[in-house]
Amino acid sequence: MLIRKFLLAAAATAVFAGCAASGGRNSGASAEPAVAAAAERLRVAMVDPTPAALRALVADDLSYGHSGGKVDTQASFIADLLDRKSDFVTIAITDQTIKVVDGNTAIVRHTLTADTNDSGKPGKVALKILGVWQKQGGEWKLLARQAVRLPS
């Protein structure tokens, strides 16, 4: 129930931001709240994955680079989350920056710390993330992502 309320609030934020952005201005600052809302919805969907939520947030042409070198497509990224091969118990995002390059592309950087249970094996990760988001059909979708491990 709490997740549903959060998603409704995030959707309302995205709709409001979209309306503000369409008011004749195409500034990056007006798109930042919508990009941030999409990034937050993806964080929530990675902890509690559903096919519909993930497909709504990741582009068909997704290139999702892991810190270990594996690169996922949209299909493999979603399948690994649903099959719990990639299982995020918690995800915390800090130090997030968003730069809207043009009206349809944004660069999002942040630090991700998470408790994981990949294929039933508990673990922890700490990563720097670079995400490229693209506005497709009026919605912000993750097009590319690359992670690097934080120095020990």
Side-chain angles (χ1 to χ4, degrees):
M1 191 68 156
L2 182 60
I3 290 175
R4 192 174 292 170
K5 286 181 182 179
F6 173 78
L7 290 176
L8 287 173
T13 300
V15 168
F16 177 78
C19 291
S22 66
R25 293 181 9 209
N26 198 13
S27 75
S30 65
E32 286 178 15
V35 175
E40 175 60 13
R41 287 193 307 276
L42 181 60
R43 184 196 68 80
V44 170
M46 289 173 66
V47 173
D48 188 18
T50 66
L54 292 167
R55 282 193 192 94
L57 292 164
V58 299
D60 291 345
D61 293 327
L62 176 69
S63 178
Y64 189 100
H66 294 268
S67 61
K70 177 183 176 190
V71 178
D72 275 319
T73 63
Q74 181 201 53
S76 62
F77 169 68
I78 291 173
D80 283 355
L81 286 168
L82 295 176
D83 296 341
R84 303 292 186 198
K85 289 178 186 172
S86 182
D87 185 4
F88 291 95
V89 178
T90 64
I91 297 175
I93 302 296
T94 57
D95 305 321
Q96 183 164 280
T97 63
I98 298 171
K99 177 170 176 58
V100 179
V101 179
D102 60 32
N104 296 313
T105 309
I107 297 169
V108 178
R109 291 181 180 271
H110 57 247
T111 301
L112 177 149
T113 53
D115 293 315
T116 61
N117 195 31
D118 297 350
S119 298
K121 182 179 176 185
K124 294 186 178 292
V125 295
L127 306 166
K128 289 287 191 180
I129 305 292
L130 166 66
V132 178
W133 289 77
Q134 185 178 59
K135 199 168 193 181
Q136 298 180 357
E139 300 295 326
W140 287 98
K141 294 191 175 204
L142 182 65
L143 179 64
R145 181 252 200 201
Q146 186 60 58
V148 295
R149 291 189 181 127
L150 289 172
S152 312

